[in-house]
Amino acid sequence: MRNSLPLFLIICLASAAVFTLNGCAGLEGGDPESAFDRGALLQQWADQTIVPGYSNWAEHTKTLADVTVLLAAEPTADRVEDAREAFKSTYVTWQSVATFDFGPAADRAHLSTTNTFPVDTVGLMEDVVAVEWTPGTPSSLNRIGLPALDHLLFAKEDAEGCAQWLNEDVRRGQHLLRLVGFLAEESMAVSSAWGSGYRDDFVASTGTELGSGLGATLNAFNRTFESNLRRQKLGLPSGVSTFSQTPLPGHVEAPFAGDLSLQLMKEAFLSYRNLYLGVPIQGDGAIGLDDYLRSLGDVNRGAQLDSDIRAQLVAAEEALEALESPLSEFVISQQDLTFDAYAELQGLVVLWKVDMMSALGVLVTYQDNDGD
């Protein structure tokens, strides 16, 4: 989406288009005439991406819980390293399922309890010494989950220093156990719900109406891309989403782990790209939203729209590849490149949320209020 217009104007025009859709999407909603098999698409999503994705996520949180038990029992540098590696792997795995914030995940507010950042470090340390502790309340969201673990496991830069820090107060290790235990329980609950009934309901709901499998997936797809990837992972840290456009390096995802932030953003981007192009987490399925659009024919909202989206995916990926780690430093030293990347992601917001949703007759059921 290379354009000679100023970034501010590009974003304003794109945001105006999104606002227009929110105001009139109901007028264009409907079921476009197409021979496309939505049931096959939903089945592939469920069986080759969502269910295995959540299963893999639950397995990773369990592994993290197991190594944390050992770390809390006897903090050593080696056990710190084991916990850190398990944490990084778990955080990366989360990116592949964060997209599916509907159904069982939405029922448990899994997105919010897992990855609300930046972490409230002061509140987190208050929780460390609290005897009574209740996770998942609205006031606790920014002091639990993966961001809280990021702070506790990387509070000290070197593993030896972290082990010593944990040994100085056993309550720190005990709170690590509480945090990881809650994370593992919630991830297992969501995974189990998909595997024990919700999957069948999802696959059977083949319409485009509110509550359908397609409607739920695409609204979560667009909402999380727009708010969680575009704004949270990049817009706020870079400053493009702030009034003064001043960088907020402390707002990057996983700031304490050092070079993890950029990897997480790229992994998240891949999850959206793969869902659109029909690349599953496991299996040989190849049905994607690109196929659905092309099935509408050689028209602007069909094959041409797919071509535009593919070109924008390439542009966005190239812009993300131009960023460097650690992201918290890069947003300050090379802010212009982070603005470029944001503009390319914004281009996808317009194509996916405005054009694709209209073409497929799926109503946008959420409102983005971040003011961009």
Side-chain angles (χ1 to χ4, degrees), residues 141-309:
L141 296 179
N142 62 348
R143 42 213 271 186
I144 62 175
L146 294 167
L149 296 175
D150 174 48
H151 179 64
L152 292 178
L153 289 174
F154 294 88
K156 304 298 178 181
E157 184 173 349
D158 63 288
E160 188 65 46
C162 183
Q164 181 179 347
W165 183 71
L166 292 173
N167 273 308
E168 289 171 355
D169 190 337
V170 296
R171 293 176 297 184
R172 293 166 181 160
Q174 292 303 313
H175 193 59
L176 270 173
L177 287 177
R178 295 195 295 195
L179 288 166
V180 176
F182 178 70
L183 186 68
E185 289 172 3
E186 291 298 295
S187 64
M188 180 57 70
V190 173
S191 178
S192 297
W194 266 96
S196 63
Y198 186 80
R199 177 266 175 206
D200 295 340
D201 294 338
F202 174 80
V203 170
S205 183
T206 59
T208 62
E209 70 280 359
L210 180 65
S212 64
L214 187 69
T217 304
L218 291 190
N219 270 281
F221 175 91
N222 281 292
R223 172 171 48 80
T224 57
F225 182 87
E226 185 176 8
S227 297
N228 298 89
L229 197 165
R230 181 205 57 152
R231 183 173 186 267
Q232 284 294 124
K233 296 180 192 290
L234 184 61
L236 287 174
S238 69
V240 71
S241 295
T242 65
F243 181 77
S244 64
Q245 297 197 333
T246 301
L248 299 173
H251 281 59
V252 299
E253 189 173 17
F256 302 100
D259 60 355
L260 189 59
S261 306
L262 185 55
Q263 181 185 359
L264 296 178
M265 182 159 52
K266 290 179 178 179
E267 289 290 338
F269 176 80
L270 285 178
S271 72
Y272 294 96
R273 188 197 70 174
N274 289 346
L275 195 71
Y276 177 79
L277 296 176
V279 180
I281 286 180
Q282 70 175 37
D284 56 1
I287 309 171
L289 291 164
D290 57 337
D291 299 298
Y292 195 173
L293 286 178
R294 289 197 301 274
S295 76
L296 301 179
D298 189 17
V299 295
N300 289 339
R301 291 297 179 91
Q304 183 58 53
L305 177 55
D306 172 55
S307 178
D308 292 343
I309 291 173

Side-chain angles (χ1 to χ4, degrees), residues 34-84:
S34 169
F36 184 78
D37 186 353
R38 286 192 294 266
L41 177 64
L42 294 177
Q43 184 171 336
Q44 179 182 297
W45 279 350
D47 296 341
Q48 297 190 34
T49 292
I50 303 176
V51 171
Y54 272 123
S55 177
N56 191 34
W57 160 239
E59 289 173 4
H60 273 74
T61 61
K62 184 182 183 304
T63 298
L64 179 59
D66 291 342
V67 297
T68 304
V69 169
L70 297 176
L71 175 61
E74 185 181 349
T76 65
D78 287 343
R79 290 184 175 185
V80 168
E81 290 290 2
D82 290 342
R84 286 178 170 182

Side-chain angles (χ1 to χ4, degrees), residues 282-366:
Q282 70 175 37
D284 56 1
I287 309 171
L289 291 164
D290 57 337
D291 299 298
Y292 195 173
L293 286 178
R294 289 197 301 274
S295 76
L296 301 179
D298 189 17
V299 295
N300 289 339
R301 291 297 179 91
Q304 183 58 53
L305 177 55
D306 172 55
S307 178
D308 292 343
I309 291 173
R310 286 171 174 268
Q312 190 58 38
L313 282 168
V314 172
E317 189 163 17
E318 289 177 349
L320 291 179
E321 285 298 325
L323 308 183
E324 297 177 6
S325 291
L327 188 60
S328 58
E329 296 178 7
F330 194 78
V331 296
I332 298 174
S333 64
Q334 299 288 339
Q335 190 186 38
D336 57 332
L337 292 180
T338 64
F339 275 32
D340 288 346
Y342 181 92
E344 302 299 354
L345 295 178
Q346 178 65 21
L348 283 170
V349 170
V350 177
L351 289 168
W352 277 337
K353 181 179 178 180
V354 180
D355 298 333
M356 183 179 73
M357 294 289 271
S358 178
L360 300 182
V362 178
L363 182 69
V364 176
T365 58
Y366 71 96

